[in-house]
Amino acid sequence: MDTSVLEKLIVDEETMERKKSSPESVKDTEYGTVKYEDELVSSWKFWKKRRYVVGVLAFFGFFTSYILRVNLSVAIVAMTAEIEKIDENGQPYFEREFDWDSKTQGLVLSSFFYGYISTQLLGGWLGARIGGKRVFGIGIATTAFFTIITPPLVRISVSILIVLRIIEGVCEGVTYPCIHAIWAQWAPPLERSKLATLAFSGSFLGTVFAMPVSGLMAEYLGWPSVFYVFGAAGLVWFFFWWVIVKDKPEDDPWISEAELEYIKSSLGNRKDEKIRHPWKAMLKSPPVWAIVAAHFSENWGFYTMLTQLPTFMNDVLDFKLDKTGYLSALPYLAMTLVVQSSGHLADYLRAKNIMTTTQVRKVFNCGAFVFQTIFMTCTAFILTPAGVVICITIAVGLGGFAWSGFGVNHLDIAPKHASVLMGIGNTFATLPGVVSPILTGFIVQNKSPGEWRIVFIIAGAVYLLGAVIYGLYASGEKQSWAEEGHKTDEESKKSYDNPAMEVDNL
């Protein structure tokens, strides 16, 4: 055999062996040809892939933020409960540790949202400017600190408690927007859905956990334990988050070369420069307002169910939901599971080119809204407790598919501006938490089934309107104003005022 032919066969054989054992390969995607990690690294070994380590810690971050948020709604029951005491003559009497009327309790519980709505846009802007890791971590850590000092301060004055809750709302208001600043650096385009929904699902599981556990702790350990334990858990999480997570993959000392190359090649070459947001273009973009409308619609139904279900069942069905307490956690458990599975399904459909990104976002989002409209409306017409709980659980659970639509869509249309877009959307999406209970109060005057039917039909109509707007105007494509070479409004104005700048830049 010719020596050159033999050498060629040896080289080809060595190349094949290298390809088999190499952790790198290439893959053609809708975002171009990128290097990717070999599937030899099992997906369940998340610690082998640093982006999933970030995702898991973000999951626990949202989990922590929600147990810090909902703890007071359970603890306040114990704080205002009548406690039996014995007087000097040995006679029993009842006394409340905090003698707050219903209006005061309502003010205390709602004060969080006044702070929460104020920092949505700021959180997105800060995340893009100084890094999502810092803003996300410090926001939750500060909330945890104020949670720990709540018990001694609330005994001084209820006004102090209200101020504390407003400050906690301000700190937690940055969390949702700034997380997209992290994914803009860490999430490959074809993994955005599952990484983002992995993090978001921590919120719903945190609600499932906090409701029953807070009740048990308040009953057996006293209501202050709820604040001490949950606050301490938040600080422990912050320690691991701060030490392990980095803003960018290239700053992570433990990341493999294969994973780093995969992330960088899939996201494309990015200039490490100060981000300037094209505000006018963003605010005039139909896909942006489609996301805002969908987020508002989902939260309207979510907050209506969250705040009004117990009252509805008490008024119409004469059914005390607190007697079967764990039923109240079922909708959030369903949503946790659906959010996880929908994210994986969305990325599978995109990776296999079964559907485009735009199609996935619209089908998941609009499909969820249509079915939520149906089950929300059915809630008003079904007069059995079991039927109502089933309808609400399905309606809330299906919302998990919507989060794989609008909840990730910011990263599709404008990756480097995604945190700011989430801030804009979540500002509007917080309004239903304030408006929906007020509107319900005006409608439900006599606590009749007919009045409640109007409340649920309105919620269903908002879902349907959100589906129509999102279906017409949403997009999964990167927008022209989000491209690297696009000028911001300020730069365009300077160029217009001084045409010589254009010549100098050529």
Side-chain angles (χ1 to χ4, degrees), residues 73-386:
S73 62
V74 179
I76 198 171
V77 177
M79 295 167 71
T80 58
E82 292 185 337
I83 302 173
E84 185 177 1
K85 295 185 177 182
I86 306 297
D87 62 16
E88 296 176 354
N89 300 319
Q91 297 297 318
Y93 70 99
F94 292 91
E95 186 179 65
R96 293 182 178 184
E97 183 172 358
F98 298 96
D99 192 15
W100 300 334
D101 58 23
S102 59
K103 290 183 180 179
T104 303
Q105 292 182 46
L107 180 60
V108 168
L109 291 173
S110 64
S111 57
F112 177 91
F113 288 98
Y114 293 108
Y116 186 73
I117 197 173
S118 67
T119 51
Q120 297 295 322
L121 188 56
L122 176 63
W125 183 82
L126 284 175
R129 282 299 180 98
I130 67 174
K133 168 203 168 175
R134 296 177 178 84
V135 182
F136 188 73
I138 293 174
I140 295 176
T142 307
T143 304
F145 170 76
F146 283 111
T147 299
I148 291 175
I149 65 175
T150 294
L153 293 181
V154 72
R155 291 189 170 99
I156 300 174
S157 169
V158 67
S159 299
I160 295 179
L161 175 60
I162 292 172
V163 171
L164 284 176
R165 291 295 290 180
I166 292 175
I167 295 174
E168 289 176 20
V170 168
C171 296
E172 283 209 8
V174 303
T175 53
Y176 263 93
C178 74
I179 195 66
H180 274 344
I182 296 174
W183 297 135
Q185 299 290 339
W186 275 96
L190 293 178
E191 296 183 21
R192 285 170 179 161
S193 303
K194 58 187 176 185
L195 285 171
T197 53
L198 168 62
F200 290 148
S201 63
S203 303
F204 311 116
L205 189 62
T207 305
V208 174
F209 175 85
M211 284 186 171
V213 172
S214 295
L216 293 172
M217 290 174 63
E219 181 177 356
Y220 294 103
L221 301 176
W223 64 264
S225 66
V226 177
F227 297 95
Y228 293 139
V229 174
F230 286 1
L235 295 180
V236 170
W237 168 85
F238 172 71
F239 171 79
F240 286 103
W241 173 264
W242 198 259
V243 170
I244 295 174
V245 174
K246 307 299 179 185
D247 275 312
K248 299 178 181 179
E250 52 265 37
D251 297 333
D252 192 324
W254 300 285
I255 194 170
S256 67
E257 291 184 10
E259 183 179 11
L260 179 60
E261 184 62 29
Y262 167 47
I263 295 173
K264 291 178 68 176
S265 63
S266 63
L267 293 176
N269 295 321
R270 293 184 175 183
K271 298 178 182 179
D272 190 11
E273 59 182 15
K274 192 176 182 180
I275 296 177
R276 298 180 182 274
H277 304 292
W279 296 102
K280 185 183 294 184
M282 285 195 297
L283 295 177
K284 291 171 63 177
S285 174
V288 169
W289 289 105
I291 296 172
V292 172
H295 201 165
F296 179 92
S297 300
E298 171 60 24
N299 275 20
W300 182 282
F302 182 83
Y303 283 126
T304 298
M305 290 182 278
L306 179 66
T307 60
Q308 303 305 324
L309 176 60
T311 307
F312 164 72
M313 299 185 75
N314 178 66
D315 291 350
V316 178
L317 306 176
D318 194 26
F319 179 79
K320 305 296 183 183
L321 193 61
D322 56 352
K323 292 181 179 177
T324 55
Y326 289 98
L327 283 178
S328 62
L330 279 179
Y332 307 105
L333 181 59
M335 195 168 193
T336 302
L337 298 175
V338 173
V339 164
Q340 285 287 327
S341 58
S342 69
H344 284 271
L345 179 59
D347 283 342
Y348 173 82
L349 294 172
R350 295 164 64 230
K352 297 296 183 181
N353 291 321
I354 298 173
M355 299 173 71
T356 65
T357 299
T358 300
Q359 290 171 338
V360 167
R361 302 298 181 224
K362 287 187 176 183
V363 169
F364 277 49
N365 199 102
C366 298
F369 279 6
V370 169
F371 280 103
Q372 285 180 295
T373 299
I374 294 171
F375 284 101
M376 178 65 79
T377 306
C378 287
T379 301
F381 292 91
I382 296 177
L383 300 180
T384 63

Side-chain angles (χ1 to χ4, degrees), residues 336-492:
T336 302
L337 298 175
V338 173
V339 164
Q340 285 287 327
S341 58
S342 69
H344 284 271
L345 179 59
D347 283 342
Y348 173 82
L349 294 172
R350 295 164 64 230
K352 297 296 183 181
N353 291 321
I354 298 173
M355 299 173 71
T356 65
T357 299
T358 300
Q359 290 171 338
V360 167
R361 302 298 181 224
K362 287 187 176 183
V363 169
F364 277 49
N365 199 102
C366 298
F369 279 6
V370 169
F371 280 103
Q372 285 180 295
T373 299
I374 294 171
F375 284 101
M376 178 65 79
T377 306
C378 287
T379 301
F381 292 91
I382 296 177
L383 300 180
T384 63
V388 168
V389 171
I390 290 172
C391 285
I392 291 297
T393 301
I394 294 175
V396 174
L398 289 174
F401 283 99
W403 277 96
S404 290
F406 77 84
V408 190
N409 205 185
H410 318 79
L411 292 163
D412 300 322
I413 65 173
K416 67 179 182 179
H417 309 294
S419 59
V420 169
L421 294 180
M422 174 61 95
I424 295 172
N426 215 21
T427 299
F428 284 93
T430 304
L431 293 175
V434 178
V435 177
S436 178
I438 295 174
L439 180 62
T440 302
F442 278 106
I443 294 173
V444 181
Q445 298 288 334
N446 302 311
K447 301 181 179 180
S448 67
E451 291 172 337
W452 279 107
R453 191 169 292 123
I454 295 173
V455 172
F456 287 105
I457 289 175
I458 289 174
V462 173
Y463 274 131
L464 193 59
L465 180 62
V468 171
I469 295 174
Y470 194 83
L472 289 174
Y473 299 109
S475 172
E477 304 299 322
K478 191 174 183 180
Q479 300 300 293
S480 58
W481 47 264
E483 297 292 346
E484 293 293 336
H486 182 82
K487 295 180 180 178
T488 63
D489 305 325
E490 183 181 346
E491 291 169 338
S492 298

